[in-house]
Amino acid sequence: MFSLNRMPRALKLALPLALIAAATPMVAQMPEVPGKADKARVTAGTYTADAGHSLVAWKVNHFGFNDYFGLFGDVSGTLEIDPANPAAAKVSVKIPVSKVVTASAGLTGHLLKPAAEGKPADFFGAAPADATFVSTSVAPGADGMSAKITGDFTLNGVTKPVTIDATFAGAGTNPFSKAATLGFHGKTTIKRSDFNVKYGLPFVSDDVTLDITAAFEKK
């Protein structure tokens, strides 16, 4: 049986170098990821939300024991941006509450359960209107990669000001759509009672953390 222990020392040293040399062409041929967190790649214009790759995750605390998560997808909307004047950026999006997703069919059904006669729905009801966010101001961060985006958030028929801590995630050309694309991450916390979603308080937390990931393609 072949044994490395019987291999001459010079050959032992040469083998790793040979393997590295053989792998180098393969690494060089690997395709480059199209998006990079490079501000120089951002071009001015109006962008449309990539609904298939934009999500809003929500998190609540359950009975003080643990956190529970859900998702809103199919986010639509627009972003107007000029890298020479980021404070003038504008964003407007719609979030289809009726398409809420959880890991529990029972919970999803409860979130969309019709209201009992003469009473408000426990959560969103059977045919909830889309939630919307329309920016009113953008305060760019000193790092040039982040911003605080303040806007009017409408949910369950109630509109309140909300500030999102946003971070630039990447820019480049989508290899499938061939469109210039920008990506961002965002985070904020709202109180659901502010939007008349009060079922289960305080056992299910009033504070709801929203984690946002959004991609926008240039028109």
Side-chain angles (χ1 to χ4, degrees), residues 58 60-64 68 123 192 198-208:
W58 51 266
V60 294
N61 184 267
H62 179 252
F63 279 34
Y68 192 86
F123 292 101
R192 61 188 179 96
K198 301 178 181 179
Y199 183 86
L201 292 173
F203 306 108
V204 178
S205 65
D206 196 8
D207 285 348
V208 181

Side-chain angles (χ1 to χ4, degrees), residues 26-174:
M26 296 175 61
V27 173
Q29 292 172 14
M30 291 180 66
E32 187 177 84
V33 175
K36 290 185 178 180
D38 180 357
K39 295 181 295 180
R41 291 182 165 212
V42 179
T43 58
T46 299
Y47 293 72
T48 300
D50 177 0
H53 298 93
S54 297
L55 298 165
V56 178
W58 51 266
K59 179 177 73 175
V60 294
N61 184 267
H62 179 252
F63 279 34
F65 296 132
N66 69 319
D67 293 330
Y68 192 86
F69 306 88
L71 281 174
F72 296 110
D74 286 343
V75 177
S76 62
T78 59
L79 167 68
E80 297 175 30
I81 192 168
D82 181 352
N85 186 13
K90 297 179 181 179
V91 62
S92 176
V93 296
K94 289 184 179 181
I95 305 164
V97 176
S98 61
K99 296 182 179 180
V100 63
V101 175
T102 77
S104 165
L107 175 57
T108 301
H110 192 184
L111 293 175
L112 300 175
K113 182 180 178 181
E117 186 175 352
K119 295 183 179 181
D122 289 344
F123 292 101
F124 303 125
D130 294 343
T132 61
F133 177 82
V134 179
S135 65
T136 54
S137 67
V138 175
D143 59 3
M145 300 290 284
S146 63
K148 289 187 178 295
I149 305 174
T150 298
D152 293 325
F153 181 59
T154 301
L155 173 66
N156 205 28
V158 179
T159 301
K160 296 282 186 180
V162 167
T163 297
I164 297 171
D165 291 316
T167 304
F168 170 58
T173 300
N174 186 312

